[in-house]
Amino acid sequence: EPNKRIAFTKMDSAHYWAQTDFIFSKNSCPSFDFLGRVDQFDQDMRTILEHLNATEMIDYLDSIGGTVNPVNTWGSSKKKSIGGDLRTEYSSPEIRDRVVDFYKRDFDLLGYKILVIS
């Protein structure tokens, strides 16, 4: 069921808002100077640190191999309790199409690619 994840979460409904609803004006003007992406987190982290001239942080990033390992602060037990891996939940073309349709402005303005999840 497409809405099963929403039914089990305790997150505020704002969690499901399109990103463009709060980071772009109604005229589609961005409200930011830089937009980092999760899929290129390490590269974007370095860009921000270089812009800030944060040499100590850049040295630290280099010392750990240039990769930041994200931590799931929501908790792996919560993730499992609502159906597990999102790739499995959104593997259906019908579900994927509904998500793409719902977040169309995000896909258009933020340059997301519509991929087949496997």
Side-chain angles (χ1 to χ4, degrees):
E1 296 175 313
N3 294 324
K4 185 176 181 182
R5 184 167 292 277
I6 292 172
F8 283 100
T9 188
K10 293 179 183 169
M11 289 183 199
D12 187 275
S13 63
H15 174 78
Y16 299 100
W17 292 353
Q19 293 176 31
T20 51
D21 286 349
F22 55 91
I23 61 174
F24 283 85
S25 72
K26 292 185 189 222
N27 297 328
S28 300
C29 292
S31 304
F32 50 85
D33 294 323
F34 180 81
L35 179 66
R37 297 179 66 107
V38 172
D39 56 332
Q40 57 189 43
F41 186 82
D42 296 329
Q43 177 184 337
D44 290 346
M45 175 63 76
R46 182 171 299 278
T47 299
I48 292 167
L49 293 175
E50 287 172 353
H51 179 76
L52 296 173
N53 198 27
T55 55
E56 288 182 34
M57 290 299 296
I58 293 169
D59 290 345
Y60 174 73
L61 186 61
D62 290 340
S63 77
I64 60 170
T67 301
V68 178
N69 295 316
V71 176
N72 178 1
T73 58
W74 180 249
S76 60
S77 62
K78 294 287 184 188
K79 181 178 166 189
K80 289 177 186 169
S81 70
I82 55 176
D85 193 331
L86 286 174
R87 288 173 292 206
T88 302
E89 296 226 4
Y90 293 104
S91 63
S92 147
E94 294 82 14
I95 301 270
R96 186 193 63 231
D97 291 347
R98 287 178 67 184
V99 169
V100 170
D101 185 54
F102 187 82
Y103 294 105
K104 181 165 180 22
R105 191 166 181 244
D106 280 4
F107 277 88
D108 292 344
L109 291 176
L110 299 174
Y112 293 140
K113 292 185 173 89
I114 302 166
L115 301 174
V116 175
I117 301 169
S118 57

